[in-house]
Amino acid sequence: GPKERPDFLAQLNAQQKQAVTHTDGPLLIVAGAGSGKTRVLTYRIAYLLQQYKAAPEQILALTFTNKAAREMKERIKDLIGDKAGKLWMGTFHSIFSKILRFEAEKIGFGSDFTIYDTSDSQTVVKQILQELNFDTKEIKPKTIHNKISDSKNQLITADTFQEKFISSTLDDITARVYSIYNKRLKQSNAMDFDDLLVKPIELFQKHPDVLEKYQDRFKYILIDEYQDTNHAQYKVTKMLADKYQNICVVGDDAQSIYSFRGADISNILNFKEDYEEATQVPLEQNYRSTKAILQCADSIIKRNTKQLDKTLWTEQGYGERITLLENFDERDEANRVASHIQNLKMRHGYKNNDFAILYRTNYQSRVFEESLRRKDLTYQLVGGLSFYQRKEIKDVLAYLTLLVNPHDETNLLRIINEPSRGIGNKSIQDLLGQARDEGRSIWSIIQNVESLDVYKPAKARVREFVDMINRLRNNLENGETLTDTTKAVLEQSGYMKALVEENSQESMMRRDNIIELQNAISYYERGAKNASLSSFLQEISLITDQDKFDEDKPAITLMTVHASKGLEFPVVFIVGLEENLFPVGARQNFDVDIEEERRLFYVAITRAEERLYFSHCRSRFKFGEETRQARSRFLEEVDAGVVQTETGATITQKKDRFSDDGNSSGSDYTVDYDWKESRTKKTHRSPSATIHYDYEDGEDPFQVGVRVEHKKFGPGKIISRSGSGTDAKVVVFFKNRGQKKLMLRAAPLQVI
Ligand code: ATP
Ligand code: MG
């Protein structure tokens, strides 16, 4: 029937069809945003299943987020029915942690290993630095951990690092910490995020039979967003694909935005050298955006020298020009964006989930949240401090982790005296010292705490702690549910009691969060087929920012540009387009790669389907002070023909960028912004007549007879006009202030 053999190929264009039906051998697709790369991967899997090229469990598809994998699965189900369930789909980290669970023993780990997130890893590094007597204020654990992480992703081992990569004192320290760090993790039966990619390679190299098993299993391998794979990811997939060479990678070099995390664009550029038989199929039709948006995106990306040329066209109409919003400060910006959203909903029938507000850095979200809340607009924040990063949640998870992996030192130290149970820091250091001396885990030595050299009253407390954990472990092993186990942990540890006793607003919030965690655990237990505490813990340690994004939720999306990769929205606001923000400013140990920032801007632009807004502020609060902000260089680069002001006026770019501070010297009227006033006032209007852009003659709305409002002078009417271009001036009669002559390009005027 049609349900079993739907002719889904009809939903593809000729190039896409070619990519989908070319099933065997290596296949490379490098194509621009919105050209259907992800769609091709999805349909390709459906096609492989439909043609009986492979069973679902023989297909490995690697996506950028777990959510993308889930969606792909759903879509494949729609196309060919229920077979999709057994596909191996997910992020690199989740797929390879699954494989590592099966094979852990072969590389000296237990299958219940803990996955350390970045903050756990930094805690371990900090501990080691302290033991080596370094001042962790001077030598930052974060810096050292970053160096270790970079090395791991480039497959540089601790030994190699020691031999070849020392060019500074910091490297020297890194080398020492790196090898201890690895030993510590192993002793804790823990792997960090990078290990999840590196250990499989080690496994496959040491055990060719295991490699062969997985090579045989995964007859077809597909990878989305290939431009953002790092060396370890490249290597491990190359090993797996080596036998059948049925590997299909899709990506866009113009969207490579993770090089700071080791992503290596050459993986995609060298694909044809690695796989000589590779076929390359171009995709050139864009189905996502209007012509104006594509033209805008193109004008940006062509500034990059290191980019491949690609064709992208669309059958869609020109659409709306991109609207530029100029603001006083971040509050003004947030209010203005919120007003535009209200307007668009009212006038064009958009729903909340049609909108995305994209920013460069997470901290920008706060003011938008406030503005949206005040206007009763529902939003969802993607990213930021995740629920699972909260202290109380990490504490409870530490207890649960110990129940499956008691040798995990980081988690044990986290809660041995949390809530406070009279085990002081000195006692803990004594315990640690003895564990180090004996080369054993702290958990194994405290089994016989009575025989250790520790402050006597603390011994009794440690004994109680050990007994509690053992009791809880026993119950869990004897089949107690996860829900009951969690409840028991909260009661017996005294954690909940301590929060209730504290009875502050803060502690009540923490309690609510813990209840939320209990809900999540119960929910998981009801839903999962083989629910186990260790797989629950694994699952949540691999949640990515974007996984929390729910496109069906009737909410406006707030997220960083990084998190927006692969997504699309009818209306997009790109905010904070200012120098040292977007492009981001240089920071310690961080060189700004302008081409990468530009690619990031390209990614942001190409998320938009119908309408796009650029926004920037003239000042911003930084460290409690109002700081002047220069407009982003990207606004100068963008094709001016596709941009308009809020009032619909055309713009042309000015040469002397950043120099203009609103005081147009040498003119007959000086605009005097009262910056203090604009800071203290909650709401104010900012100039809609652009300050940095010049109106083209006759095209701006400030014609004789038009009613206007001035930021400071209030409402008025234009009574005459003189000069042209940058020199255009208007005489306005203000209701309360009388007649004034104003420089059009500098005056904070708005049509009313
Ligand atoms: P990005 O580079 O941003 O990841 P992409 O190349 O993966 O984009 P998709 O997300 O697969 O592009 O497709 C963009 C949009 O175009 C989606 O909404 C998709 O459903 C739609 N689309 C792709 N191909 C077709 C087609 N042949 N017919 C109709 N719609 C299509
Ligand atoms: Mg995609």
Side-chain angles (χ1 to χ4, degrees):
K3 186 94 185 90
E4 287 147 344
R5 302 202 54 126
D7 189 15
F8 53 74
L9 293 182
Q11 299 164 24
L12 303 170
N13 67 34
Q15 291 174 326
Q16 292 174 331
K17 212 174 291 174
Q18 190 196 345
V20 165
T21 55
H22 180 279
T23 53
D24 290 5
L27 179 65
L28 170 67
I29 298 172
V30 183
S35 58
K37 296 183 294 297
T38 303
R39 188 182 179 105
V40 161
L41 275 197
T42 311
Y43 280 60
R44 192 176 156 82
I45 294 168
Y47 186 75
L48 289 170
L49 294 173
Q50 193 207 39
Q51 298 294 310
Y52 299 103
K53 283 280 189 182
E57 61 272 20
Q58 292 176 317
I59 297 175
L60 170 64
L62 295 158
T63 55
F64 180 62
T65 62
N66 294 304
K67 183 171 173 294
R70 272 197 303 276
E71 275 175 9
M72 227 185 239
K73 240 183 212 178
E74 286 304 312
R75 190 82 190 93
I76 294 165
K77 265 190 202 155
D78 290 347
L79 294 175
I80 59 136
D82 231 11
K83 284 182 186 172
K86 288 188 187 144
L87 290 164
W88 282 66
M89 287 184 118
T91 59
F92 274 89
H93 288 98
S94 65
I95 293 291
F96 287 102
S97 74
K98 200 163 147 189
I99 291 175
L100 284 169
R101 295 252 164 220
F102 289 129
E103 315 293 345
E105 258 114 69
K106 298 199 177 63
I107 49 167
F109 282 80
S111 66
D112 284 332
F113 62 84
T114 310
I115 298 168
Y116 279 179
D117 65 15
T118 309
S119 85
D120 297 328
S121 299
Q122 286 172 7
T123 304
V124 177
V125 169
K126 185 173 178 186
Q127 174 92 30
I128 296 168
L129 284 170
Q130 281 165 347
E131 286 170 29
L132 296 174
N133 288 321
F134 287 108
D135 179 354
T136 52
K137 284 204 185 65
E138 232 164 82
I139 311 291
K140 296 252 186 327
K142 187 176 170 185
T143 311
I144 304 290
H145 176 249
N146 280 344
K147 279 179 172 274
I148 294 175
S149 175
D150 286 351
S151 307
K152 284 195 181 186
N153 281 310
Q154 292 169 53
L155 302 176
I156 300 164
T157 62
D159 289 342
T160 318
F161 192 96
Q162 178 77 52
E163 284 162 23
K164 296 196 186 134
F165 290 89
I166 297 184
S167 61
S168 68
T169 329
L170 208 59
D171 289 340
D172 197 44
I173 298 168
T174 305
R176 287 170 70 189
V177 175
Y178 191 177
S179 73
I180 303 174
Y181 173 86
N182 281 345
K183 285 180 200 131
R184 282 291 151 78
L185 259 63
K186 184 141 189 188
Q187 192 170 56
S188 284
N189 192 28
M191 296 195 197
D192 65 19
F193 281 152
D194 307 314
D195 288 335
L196 297 180
L197 304 175
V198 176
K199 297 284 179 197
I201 297 172
E202 191 185 315
L203 168 76
F204 294 153
Q205 279 168 341
K206 277 194 193 140
H207 301 274
D209 54 317
V210 177
L211 173 60
E212 205 174 335
K213 181 172 89 182
Y214 287 98
Q215 283 177 334
D216 281 331
R217 161 163 307 161
F218 300 130
K219 279 179 74 180
Y220 290 90
I221 297 173
L222 305 95
I223 310 175
D224 200 0
E225 308 276 6
Y226 194 65
Q227 76 279 358
D228 277 327
T229 50
N230 64 28
H231 188 61
Q233 290 167 322
Y234 159 80
K235 174 107 182 191
V236 76
T237 44
K238 187 156 191 321
M239 288 172 110
L240 283 176
D242 214 38
K243 188 157 176 184
Y244 292 111
Q245 308 238 330
N246 291 328
I247 179 168
C248 166
V249 304
V250 311
D252 179 3
D253 58 309
Q255 294 185 66
S256 166
I257 55 175
Y258 279 98
S259 75
F260 70 99
R261 244 166 40 181
D264 187 352
I265 238 173
S266 61
N267 292 344
I268 201 160
L269 302 181
N270 296 337
F271 188 82
K272 283 200 275 191
E273 279 161 39
D274 288 334
Y275 300 94
E276 282 171 17
E277 307 291 295
T279 306
Q280 185 169 356
V281 179
L283 303 178
E284 294 171 330
Q285 181 171 2
N286 173 292
Y287 290 89
R288 179 179 294 150
S289 314
T290 62
K291 281 199 177 68
I293 292 166
L294 285 189
Q295 191 181 329
C296 173
D298 189 57
S299 71
I300 282 297
I301 203 64
K302 71 169 192 242
R303 305 260 174 174
N304 271 3
T305 54
K306 289 179 257 171
Q307 234 62 70
L308 299 176
D309 286 335
K310 278 169 299 236
T311 315
L312 212 53
W313 59 277
T314 178
E315 275 174 1
Q316 295 196 39
Y318 185 78
E320 300 288 323
R321 280 187 293 174
I322 288 88
T323 305
L324 178 78
L325 310 180
E326 298 198 287
N327 310 283
F328 279 122
D329 59 17
E330 63 265 45
R331 269 165 218 290
D332 187 25
E333 178 177 56
N335 288 333
R336 191 177 303 269
V337 168
S339 304
H340 274 277
I341 289 175
Q342 279 183 320
N343 244 317
L344 288 165
K345 286 176 70 177
M346 219 155 57
R347 294 180 36 202
H348 299 281
Y350 287 111
K351 305 271 177 301
N352 282 341
N353 51 351
D354 290 332
F355 299 97
I357 302 173
L358 306 180
Y359 36 78
R360 179 65 182 83
T361 54
N362 267 310
Y363 75 80
Q364 289 170 259
S365 69
R366 195 184 52 83
V367 274
F368 286 97
E369 290 184 74
E370 281 172 21
S371 290
L372 295 173
R373 223 179 289 134
R374 224 178 299 129
K375 289 202 157 71
D376 268 335
L377 290 165
T378 315
Y379 65 87
Q380 60 177 330
L381 182 70
V382 180
L385 185 66
S386 107
F387 177 77
Y388 292 103
Q389 298 289 311
R390 292 169 201 271
K391 181 196 179 296
E392 63 277 14
I393 301 302
K394 280 198 79 113
D395 286 347
V396 177
L397 291 175
Y399 277 100
L400 293 174
T401 302
L402 286 194
L403 303 189
V404 295
N405 179 21
H407 295 288
D408 178 338
E409 183 182 287
T410 309
N411 279 309
L412 187 143
L413 292 178
R414 184 174 182 97
I415 45 91
I416 191 167
N417 197 38
E418 184 68 57
S420 169
R421 49 174 71 89
I423 306 172
N425 198 31
K426 169 80 172 62
S427 304
I428 292 171
Q429 291 312 318
D430 288 345
L431 291 173
L432 260 181
Q434 288 168 74
R436 299 275 183 269
D437 289 348
E438 292 182 35
R440 292 164 62 201
S441 76
I442 190 160
W443 172 251
S444 55
I445 69 152
I446 58 175
Q447 299 305 302
N448 297 308
V449 65
E450 288 76 11
S451 64
L452 300 178
D453 186 14
V454 189
Y455 179 58
K456 210 153 167 228
K459 280 190 190 180
R461 304 278 168 256
V462 173
R463 168 52 56 204
E464 283 166 24
F465 175 78
V466 170
D467 288 348
M468 171 183 69
I469 297 293
N470 277 327
R471 198 167 54 237
L472 290 163
R473 273 168 62 78
N474 258 325
N475 292 344
L476 183 67
E477 264 162 40
N478 291 327
E480 190 179 54
T481 65
L482 305 192
T483 308
D484 289 346
T485 302
T486 313
K487 200 161 161 243
V489 163
L490 291 169
E491 276 167 20
Q492 296 182 29
S493 66
Y495 202 94
M496 266 316 209
K497 189 158 165 268
L499 287 182
V500 173
E501 276 167 6
E502 191 186 320
N503 194 24
S504 64
Q505 216 171 1
E506 164 83 14
S507 74
M508 288 304 125
M509 202 182 72
R510 295 193 166 177
R511 210 189 54 162
D512 288 349
N513 286 335
I514 291 174
I515 292 169
E516 190 55 38
L517 174 66
Q518 286 182 284
N519 293 340
I521 291 172
S522 303
Y523 181 81
Y524 164 81
E525 192 162 38
R526 276 200 308 274
K529 277 194 201 91
N530 302 310
S532 78
L533 185 52
S534 86
S535 55
F536 172 76
L537 292 169
Q538 177 190 336
E539 215 171 274
I540 61 173
S541 58
L542 294 170
I543 292 174
T544 65
D545 275 3
Q546 218 197 51
D547 291 330
K548 284 166 277 170
F549 162 65
D550 179 356
E551 79 185 335
D552 297 326
K553 202 172 158 193
I556 297 159
T557 300
L558 297 181
M559 55 166 57
T560 62
V561 181
H562 278 104
S564 77
K565 205 167 74 157
L567 302 177
E568 54 192 18
F569 301 88
V571 186
V572 170
F573 293 86
I574 305 172
V575 302
L577 281 164
E578 295 141 41
E579 286 293 296
N580 293 323
L581 185 57
F582 199 172
V584 78
R587 274 178 255 127
Q588 200 197 350
N589 303 313
F590 183 85
D591 298 323
V592 183
D593 176 350
I594 285 297
E595 296 221 344
E596 176 141 323
E597 292 294 309
R598 202 176 276 116
R599 290 193 293 269
L600 203 50
F601 187 41
Y602 174 79
V603 168
I605 294 170
T606 55
R607 300 308 96 201
E609 296 170 23
E610 296 163 16
R611 284 166 200 269
L612 177 61
Y613 290 79
F614 293 155
S615 164
H616 73 94
C617 299
R618 303 200 52 188
S619 74
R620 219 169 251 283
F621 266 108
K622 272 184 196 158
F623 312 112
E625 270 188 48
E626 183 136 1
T627 319
R628 282 312 193 71
Q629 293 290 98
R631 233 160 36 129
S632 172
R633 70 191 70 191
F634 298 150
L635 289 176
E636 311 301 319
E637 295 175 356
V638 105
D639 180 347
V642 295
V643 185
Q644 62 182 6
T645 66
E646 268 181 287
T647 50
T650 302
I651 55 162
T652 55
Q653 274 115 336
K654 248 185 69 180
K655 299 283 175 306
D656 55 333
R657 63 190 191 90
F658 311 152
S659 62
D660 197 334
D661 61 2
N663 295 320
S664 45
S665 53
S667 70
D668 37 355
Y669 177 75
T670 310
V671 179
D672 60 335
Y673 275 127
D674 186 344
W675 293 103
K676 279 210 183 65
E677 183 189 277
S678 74
R679 177 168 59 203
T680 46
K681 263 205 194 153
K682 275 251 152 56
T683 52
H684 51 248
R685 314 178 78 156
S686 75
S688 75
T690 163
I691 287 167
H692 301 277
Y693 287 127
D694 302 328
Y695 288 105
E696 272 175 9
D697 278 347
E699 288 211 36
D700 71 70
F702 298 101
Q703 305 299 328
V704 175
V706 169
R707 284 177 200 288
V708 291
E709 183 162 64
H710 186 278
K711 202 237 139 202
K712 201 167 173 193
F713 305 139
K717 193 174 172 183
I718 300 178
I719 54 174
S720 74
R721 184 178 165 126
S722 61
S724 63
T726 30
D727 284 320
K729 298 176 188 83
V730 286
V731 175
V732 181
F733 189 80
F734 290 102
K735 220 172 134 193
N736 304 321
R737 305 291 281 268
Q739 194 169 308
K740 306 252 180 211
K741 192 171 189 181
L742 306 168
M743 280 292 275
L744 199 48
R745 74 178 168 94
L749 270 189
Q750 193 163 39
V751 173
I752 52 173

